[in-house]
């Protein structure tokens, strides 16, 4: 498995990018070079230098510190939304896939209805209803991720519950909760992990988009999407300001996508 | 002899294209304590459905009718919770395919221990002891290290021993073996048969042995039930049935076994195939379309299962009087 991982370029590049992201995140928890929200009107639009590694923005705030702090926001929104989507999607998918029949029909039609609705618009509606902020962004993105997890869980359940070892476990007298926890869930972990990784990158992108539109993370909390929006006005005079958060979003999303693809290739057990 | 299992008028209907078809009909037999009974017939004749309905493991698209009395209790009327209690404790089943009957992500020993813990209030360590003890009993060498191995590390024969371990660890009163040797090669087949015979003696387990292979069944069973198209067509002691088969189907089944005498010649096969569910006619003898001896009476009515010389047979022609007519 480890040997195979070493040969998989997608997995390797994705893992390296995410390691860099994690280092940035951990460092930001310990300390940042400057207070990310401290304004200094004397030092506006400074180009990258030893003092300010990535320069300063239109309020004279250190961009490097804000990028670091922004990684925390990304992480919070990503994890929370994936957790919400995974939990709700798994429960709905499990009920749907295990019971089948009318319950399956009702749940799947509800999921279809949600999927027919563009995800970002649904998130916009939800945020408008509950008000902007990082928590409501995470919640809204979590809700939009539910159908994805629901469908994959349902498919896995329908496939695995017919297998002989499930029948064998039943014939030993295992109850339904035990069957699910000990025999079905471990055998569907790999598609779930892959989906979660890919959903993480979707969430990052959506959060950046929402913040760019002004509905996601609220200032002065640093967010890469918001930084991109602020930098837009100075694109011609100070291009590096827009370049940095843009790069961060691209590289992080790329990292998660590559890791997800790599994991899918590595855990694909078509031969089993 | 004390009756352990008493099946009365069992029928199983299978949903197919919005309609229910009878796949098993009027199956009734008893199994006494300590007996080893064989249930034979070709693929699609309802052997496995009979076994699954005893266990309450029928697929959602099938439903069972009639009564399955186990120690006087009707298993078909149990709730799901009650089924969880008797499965694995009172009745266990060994499936045909050992390759897929084990969870690939759980060490084999822990799967055996799980079966123990589900019906005993013991610690994990006790369950482990019991599992290792049972693994030794079924002839798995180096049981303690095997305990932690995963199914893919074991050979087919070892896996089937593990599956048998799992089925027997709670000393069930009845063991259903659903073609336990079909997926194994001949030498391993023999070892597994030997094991089942030996466990039947030492643990005094009652065994319902399901197979399509008469050669295998005659090794282990004292009594034989022959099924055809969802019906029992013949029942009797193994020796009697094999020496003097009364039903033409049994006779032809016996003729299809390769032996030393017919070596080098083409193997006999019964012409035709079991009628698919939607083509079965309830008002004629189910075997009439493949039977060489079939006469007018066979196409006019369905024969009943009747007693004859201490055996049971479902054929108009059996017993002599009708054979002379045709």
């Amino acid at each position: 498995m480890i040997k195979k991982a070493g040969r998989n370029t997608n997995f390797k590049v994705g893992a390296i990018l995410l390691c860099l992201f994690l280092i940035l995140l951990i460092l930001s928890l310990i300390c940042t070079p400057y207070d990310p929200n401290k304004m200094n009107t004397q030092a506006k639009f400074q180009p990258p230098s030893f003092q300010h590694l990535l320069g300063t923005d239109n309020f004279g705030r250190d961009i490097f510190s804000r990028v670091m702090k922004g990684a925390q926001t990304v992480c919070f929104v990503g994890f929370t939304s994936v957790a919400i989507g995974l939990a709700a999607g798994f429960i709905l998918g499990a009920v749907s896939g295990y019971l089948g029949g009318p319950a399956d029909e009702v749940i799947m039609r509800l999921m279809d209805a949600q999927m027919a609705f563009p995800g970002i618009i649904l998130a916009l509606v939800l945020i408008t209803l509950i008000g902007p902020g990082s928590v409501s962004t995470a919640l809204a993105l979590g809700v939009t991720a539910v159908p994805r997890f629901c469908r994959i869980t349902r498919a896995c359940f329908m496939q695995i519950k017919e297998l002989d070892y499930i029948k064998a476990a039943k014939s030993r007298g295992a109850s339904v909760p035990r069957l699910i926890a000990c025999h079905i869930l471990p055998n569907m972990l790999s598609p779930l992990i892959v989906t979660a990784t890919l959903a993480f990158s979707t969430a990052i992108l959506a959060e950046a988009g929402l913040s760019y539109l002004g509905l996601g993370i609220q200032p002065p909390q640093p967010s890469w999407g918001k930084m991109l929006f602020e930098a837009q006005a100075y694109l011609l005079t100070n291009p590096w300001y827009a370049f940095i958060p843009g790069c961060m979003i691209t590289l992080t999303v790329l990292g998660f996508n590559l890791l997800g693809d790599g994991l899918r290739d590595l855990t694909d057990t078509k031969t089993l | 002899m004390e009756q352990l299992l008493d099946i009365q008028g069992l029928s199983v209907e299978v949903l197919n294209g919005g309609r229910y078809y009878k796949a098993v009909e009027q199956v009734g037999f008893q199994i006494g304590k300590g007996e080893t009974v064989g249930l034979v017939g070709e693929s699609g004749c309802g052997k496995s459905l009979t076994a699954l309905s005893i266990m309450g493991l029928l697929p959602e698209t099938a439903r069972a009718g009639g009564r399955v009395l186990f120690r006087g209790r009707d298993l078909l009327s149990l709730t799901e919770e009650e089924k969880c209690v008797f499965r694995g404790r009172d009745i266990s089943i060994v499936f045909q395919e050992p390759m897929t009957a084990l969870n690939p992500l759980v060490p084999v020993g822990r799967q055996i221990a799980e079966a123990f813990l589900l019906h005993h209030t013991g610690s994990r360590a006790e369950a482990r002891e019991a599992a290792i003890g049972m693994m030794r009993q079924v002839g798995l060498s180096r049981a303690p290290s095997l305990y932690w191995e995963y199914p893919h590390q074991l050979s087919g024969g070892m896996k089937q021993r593990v599956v048998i371990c799992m089925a027997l660890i709670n000393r069930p009163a009845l063991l259903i073996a659903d073609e336990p040797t079909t997926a194994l090669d001949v030498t391993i087949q023999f070892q597994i048969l030997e094991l089942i015979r030996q466990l039947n003696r030492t643990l005094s387990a009652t065994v319902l042995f399901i197979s399509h292979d008469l050669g295998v069944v005659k090794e282990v069973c004292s009594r034989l039930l022959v099924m055809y198209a969802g019906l029992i067509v013949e029942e009797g002691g193994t020796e009697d049935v094999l020496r003097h088969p009364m039903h033409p189907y049994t006779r032809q089944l016996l003729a299809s076994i390769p032996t030393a005498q017919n070596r080098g010649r083409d193997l006999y096969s019964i012409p035709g195939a079991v009628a698919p569910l939607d083509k079965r006619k309830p008002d004629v003898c189910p075997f009439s379309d493949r039977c060489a001896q079939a006469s007018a009476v066979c196409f006019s009515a369905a024969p009943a299962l009747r007693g004859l010389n201490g055996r049971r047979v479902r054929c108009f022609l059996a017993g002599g009087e009708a054979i002379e007519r045709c």
Side-chain angles (χ1 to χ4, degrees), chain A residues 163-202:
Chain A
L163 293 180
D164 275 1
Y165 58 81
I166 300 299
K167 225 169 26 170
K170 253 193 213 169
S171 79
R172 270 175 259 163
S175 60
V176 174
R178 192 181 169 81
L179 221 54
I180 292 174
C182 299
H183 297 287
I184 299 181
L185 183 58
N187 281 292
M188 59 176 287
L189 268 186
S190 80
L192 267 192
I193 291 171
V194 171
T195 313
T197 318
L198 295 175
F200 207 106
S201 75
T202 314

Side-chain angles (χ1 to χ4, degrees), chain B residues 24-25 28 35 47 55 144 209 219 240 261 267 308 311 320:
Chain B
V24 173
E25 273 180 85
E35 246 190 318
K47 299 171 307 222
M55 292 297 292
F209 195 98
E219 293 289 322
D240 294 342
Q261 281 86 49
L267 195 56
L308 197 66
R311 289 158 63 180

Side-chain angles (χ1 to χ4, degrees), chain B residues 63-280:
Chain B
R63 60 181 186 198
R67 303 210 300 165
V68 177
L69 299 174
F70 178 77
R71 289 181 175 144
R73 256 172 105 203
D74 188 2
L75 297 182
L76 293 182
S77 64
L78 295 184
T79 63
E80 203 53 44
E81 287 83 41
E82 288 170 320
K83 278 181 192 164
C84 280
V85 175
F86 92 83
R87 279 183 201 146
R89 190 190 69 183
D90 298 324
I91 307 180
S92 285
I93 186 162
V94 173
F95 290 108
Q96 172 174 353
E97 189 53 80
M99 306 298 165
T100 55
L102 294 167
N103 186 336
L105 296 179
V106 180
V108 290
R110 289 203 30 209
Q111 298 194 49
I112 303 172
E114 183 195 21
F116 180 85
L117 283 173
L118 283 168
H119 300 287
H120 291 83
T121 49
S123 66
R124 268 174 174 265
E126 283 172 62
R128 190 164 167 252
E129 280 310 305
I132 290 175
M134 195 69 221
M135 284 163 90
R136 288 215 175 91
Q137 212 166 343
V138 300
L140 285 167
S141 52
R142 62 182 188 90
S145 66
L146 210 60
Y147 184 92
W148 293 109
E149 281 182 18
Y150 287 88
H152 73 270
Q153 294 170 290
L154 274 60
S155 68
M158 285 162 98
K159 274 187 223 176
Q160 195 60 299
R161 282 174 201 262
V162 168
V163 172
I164 290 172
C165 248
M166 233 153 46
L168 288 176
I169 191 155
N170 296 312
R171 306 288 146 94
L174 175 65
L175 174 71
I176 302 174
D178 188 359
E179 309 229 14
T181 58
T182 308
L184 305 170
D185 63 56
V186 183
T187 43
I188 306 298
Q189 216 173 51
F190 178 75
Q191 291 173 9
I192 297 287
L193 289 180
E194 196 51 49
L195 175 68
I196 289 175
R197 215 167 9 189
Q198 174 210 330
L199 292 169
N200 169 244
R201 274 198 307 270
T202 54
L203 303 177
S204 68
T206 310
V207 181
L208 174 61
F209 195 98
I210 299 173
S211 181
H212 63 261
D213 188 342
L214 281 171
V216 164
V217 166
K218 76 164 189 254
E219 293 289 322
V220 279
C221 300
S222 56
R223 199 150 58 85
L224 216 56
L225 294 150
V226 183
M227 267 184 100
Y228 183 79
L231 295 156
I232 290 182
V233 293
E234 182 158 5
E235 180 188 352
T238 308
E239 279 292 301
D240 294 342
V241 173
L242 296 184
R243 284 244 179 86
H244 311 289
M246 291 202 268
H247 196 281
Y249 176 62
T250 320
R251 267 202 295 278
Q252 299 203 34
L253 211 54
L254 282 169
S256 336
I257 300 178
T259 59
Q261 281 86 49
N262 60 22
R263 184 179 183 161
R265 269 172 275 158
D266 281 351
L267 195 56
Y268 177 78
S269 69
I270 308 176
V274 187
L277 285 177
D278 53 340
K279 300 250 166 54
R280 286 185 191 169

